Amino acid sequence: MKRLGVIGGTGLADIVLADAIRTDSILAETPWGSVPLQCVTLAESEIIFVQRHHGEGCTPPHKIEHRANIRALADAGAEAILAICSVGAIAAEFTPGSITYAKQYLDLTGISSTFYDDDAQFTSMTEPFSLHLNEILAKELNSNKGLTYFLTQGPQFETAAEIGAIERLGGDVVGMTMPREAKLAAELTLPYAALLISSNWAAGRTPGDPSAILDHHAVSATAGERLEKVMDCIRAILSQG
């Protein structure tokens, strides 16, 4: 693959690679607003990076204009998109600091995410993530255990009771953004995959302390500790995609 779009979340504000030939910052214009892109040129490929919040902590999750972000990556020539997502862990084995890939998602927010507001277009989401990209990620992570991401509206974290209900519905992790990107990428037929970084236990799931308070800064710090493995996954997709 020559050109990979990467969407960074909490803990990933930019792409820094020692072997980068050059790094350029541009402002892409879309019908839904401007998007700051970081273009990292390597010897035989290019990474086009967007921070989904347009800067760490700037745009709250419920206000992100995902159409602008996905459209900007598509217009910049991205052949596929890899999203990096900090999530709250519900599955007991997905301890904070763990990393895997998304296999399915659940979005029951009732809020649409589409480029088609004026005419009826129906996009299959039976397999919301690229099976080919997930095969590469599974090999790089030495894991064939993809998880189900449950989308909540935010910006508040969930209650312990909500997490219990989410688990019963099949959610393994919880977050506030990613499935909206997956839907838009599918509408543009852009292969899309998502890396999930367990940044914290979901509400009520902290071992020995079910009343533990969730803190955004702690979440960001944990996500930032796994960036080396994230870069390994990016390189794997560029070389094998």
Side-chain angles (χ1 to χ4, degrees), residues 8-9 23 33 39 41 55 61 63 112 174 179 225 235:
T23 300
C39 302
T41 302
K63 291 293 187 179
S112 64
V174 64
E225 293 170 359
R235 291 184 183 279

Side-chain angles (χ1 to χ4, degrees), residues 17-105:
L17 294 172
D19 58 339
I21 296 174
R22 59 180 291 178
T23 300
D24 299 300
S25 296
I26 65 173
L27 194 64
E29 298 298 333
T30 79
W32 301 277
S34 58
V35 178
L37 298 178
Q38 182 185 15
C39 302
V40 180
T41 302
L42 305 174
E44 297 183 352
S45 57
E46 185 177 6
I47 299 167
I48 307 165
F49 176 80
V50 59
Q51 216 288 340
R52 64 169 57 90
H53 300 274
H54 293 186
E56 190 61 32
C58 290
T59 306
H62 65 295
K63 291 293 187 179
I64 294 173
E65 182 46 89
H66 297 285
R67 291 175 297 183
N69 289 345
I70 298 298
R71 184 77 259 177
L73 291 175
D75 288 349
E79 300 169 54
I81 296 175
L82 177 65
I84 317 302
C85 310
S86 299
V87 296
I90 300 173
E93 69 275 12
F94 198 49
T95 57
S98 300
I99 182 169
T100 191
Y101 57 93
K103 187 174 182 179
Q104 284 285 323
Y105 70 70

Side-chain angles (χ1 to χ4, degrees), residues 7 14 22 26 43 55 66 68 74 80 92 100 105 120 133 135 142 152 156 159 178 185 201 237:
I7 300 177
D14 56 14
R22 59 180 291 178
I26 65 173
H66 297 285
T100 191
Y105 70 70
L133 295 181
E135 287 177 2
N142 193 28
T152 60
Q156 300 83 7
T159 67
M178 182 273 289
W201 289 110
I237 289 176

Side-chain angles (χ1 to χ4, degrees), residues 76-170:
E79 300 169 54
I81 296 175
L82 177 65
I84 317 302
C85 310
S86 299
V87 296
I90 300 173
E93 69 275 12
F94 198 49
T95 57
S98 300
I99 182 169
T100 191
Y101 57 93
K103 187 174 182 179
Q104 284 285 323
Y105 70 70
L106 282 162
D107 176 8
L108 305 181
T109 62
I111 298 173
S112 64
S113 182
T114 181
F115 289 111
Y116 302 110
D117 284 329
D118 299 322
D119 59 340
Q121 299 284 337
F122 303 101
T123 302
S124 174
M125 299 302 296
T126 304
E127 294 287 352
F129 305 104
S130 165
L131 297 178
H132 176 57
L133 295 181
N134 274 357
E135 287 177 2
I136 296 172
L137 294 177
K139 181 179 178 181
E140 182 64 30
L141 296 170
N142 193 28
S143 170
N144 59 3
K145 176 67 173 174
L147 299 181
T148 296
Y149 181 116
F150 191 99
L151 177 67
T152 60
Q153 178 61 15
Q156 300 83 7
F157 288 116
E158 304 73 34
T159 67
E162 288 171 331
I163 293 300
I166 289 168
E167 182 177 41
R168 289 190 291 274
L169 288 170

